[in-house]
Amino acid sequence: MSADPATEPAPIPTPTPHDRPRRPGGPRRSATPRGCRGSRAGRRRAGLLTAGFLPLGGAAATAFVVRADITDPPFQGLDDRWLGWMGGPHDGPYMAVATALNWFGGPVGAALPLALLVLLLVRRRLASAGFLLAAYLGGNMLVIQGLKHLVDRPRPADPLVRVDHGSFPSGHAATAALLVVVVGVLLVPAARRRAWWYAGAAFTLAMMWSRTWLHAHWLTDTVAGAAAGAGAGLLMWWLFEPALAREGVRSHDRRGAAAGADTGTVTPATG
């Protein structure tokens, strides 16, 4: 007579690594040692420091080369050839694009960071607001204007837009590159920054083209301006990176607490 299956003991399963009980008192520890996480963060900060110093140092070195002979620096022949290629005619859609970029580097470009600063202050992102102020004040007033007064290079003849003194470096190109860095740090998620850097590089190159097409700058002015703006922004990112990281953690914790409070609210029954 066969045994009743309901009374037979169930077979004991063979434990697997996935069936091991967790340690009491909380979730499993991360598989990445804390020292490795710290070393990665240290390498990332060192990379930011290098990425900021290299273009900024290159722009400063070029400034001293130009200052030694502002009317005929070693690369004046390249600047003259490029300006000849930008000869025109200066009308049609090219003029519309160049004029729009000229305005963006002027009043519009100043209004955008101001609006972003107000938004950051309203949302109580004080570290981000400090980074924005330091990047724009340090990048534009100290670096760009400092280099302009140091070199005071004459501009190309007959510029098509109103310009101030000092052709080297290009303030429009510097502002474009600086804006790309600041917006990428503050508004673009880390997972999407690579695409943003490509788009930002294209925008900066367009600004550089427009400044030479309008005969407002020599080619080397725009290259040095873009390098100085990007370098200043990256150095400020390196300086503020720990504070921005702490601010990001606090913001994430606040959102998590708010979400937990919303899901924990019980609606009273009616009837």
Side-chain angles (χ1 to χ4, degrees), residues 2-270:
S2 61
D4 186 0
T7 61
E8 290 184 357
I12 300 175
T14 302
T16 65
H18 299 287
D19 297 324
R20 293 173 184 171
R22 294 185 180 182
R23 295 184 180 182
R28 227 179 258 176
R29 291 184 180 180
S30 172
T32 305
R34 183 175 299 178
C36 294
R37 294 197 299 267
S39 63
R40 281 204 301 266
R43 288 194 299 269
R44 182 173 176 273
R45 291 208 72 209
L48 274 179
L49 185 61
T50 303
F53 262 123
L54 286 179
L56 188 57
T62 308
F64 282 101
V65 172
V66 177
R67 188 174 186 267
D69 189 355
I70 60 174
T71 58
D72 191 20
F75 35 76
Q76 187 62 48
L78 172 63
D79 285 339
D80 289 335
R81 284 195 298 273
W82 181 267
L83 191 65
W85 295 337
M86 298 291 104
H90 292 86
D91 54 14
Y94 294 112
M95 188 64 183
V97 172
T99 302
L101 290 171
N102 178 63
W103 277 98
F104 187 88
V108 178
L112 183 60
L114 180 61
L116 180 56
L117 176 64
V118 173
L119 175 64
L120 294 174
L121 291 175
V122 169
R123 298 183 63 181
R124 295 183 299 172
R125 292 177 57 180
L126 299 183
S128 297
F131 164 67
L132 174 62
L133 278 175
Y136 265 86
L137 294 179
N140 283 319
M141 293 187 178
L142 295 180
V143 175
I144 304 306
Q145 291 303 318
L147 291 176
K148 277 184 176 291
H149 284 84
L150 173 68
V151 178
D152 200 18
R153 184 186 190 185
R155 291 181 182 267
D158 303 321
L160 302 180
V161 289
R162 180 178 295 180
V163 294
D164 58 7
H165 81 95
S167 185
F168 184 98
S170 168
H172 279 65
T175 300
L178 182 62
L179 183 64
V180 167
V181 174
V182 169
V183 172
V185 173
L186 297 180
L187 299 183
V188 180
R192 299 179 182 177
R193 277 184 185 150
R194 176 172 294 185
W196 172 255
W197 299 141
Y198 286 132
F203 169 70
T204 305
L205 287 173
M207 182 66 78
M208 294 165 62
W209 161 82
S210 73
R211 301 312 289 164
T212 57
W213 194 80
L214 293 170
H215 291 194
H217 287 281
W218 305 102
L219 174 64
T220 50
D221 301 337
T222 63
V223 174
L234 290 170
L235 282 180
M236 287 302 168
W237 186 9
W238 169 81
L239 183 64
F240 278 82
E241 199 271 338
L244 293 173
R246 290 192 297 269
E247 182 183 71
V249 171
R250 290 195 299 268
S251 177
H252 182 270
D253 290 344
R254 285 197 298 267
R255 288 194 298 268
D262 292 339
T263 55
T265 303
V266 178
T267 305
T270 58

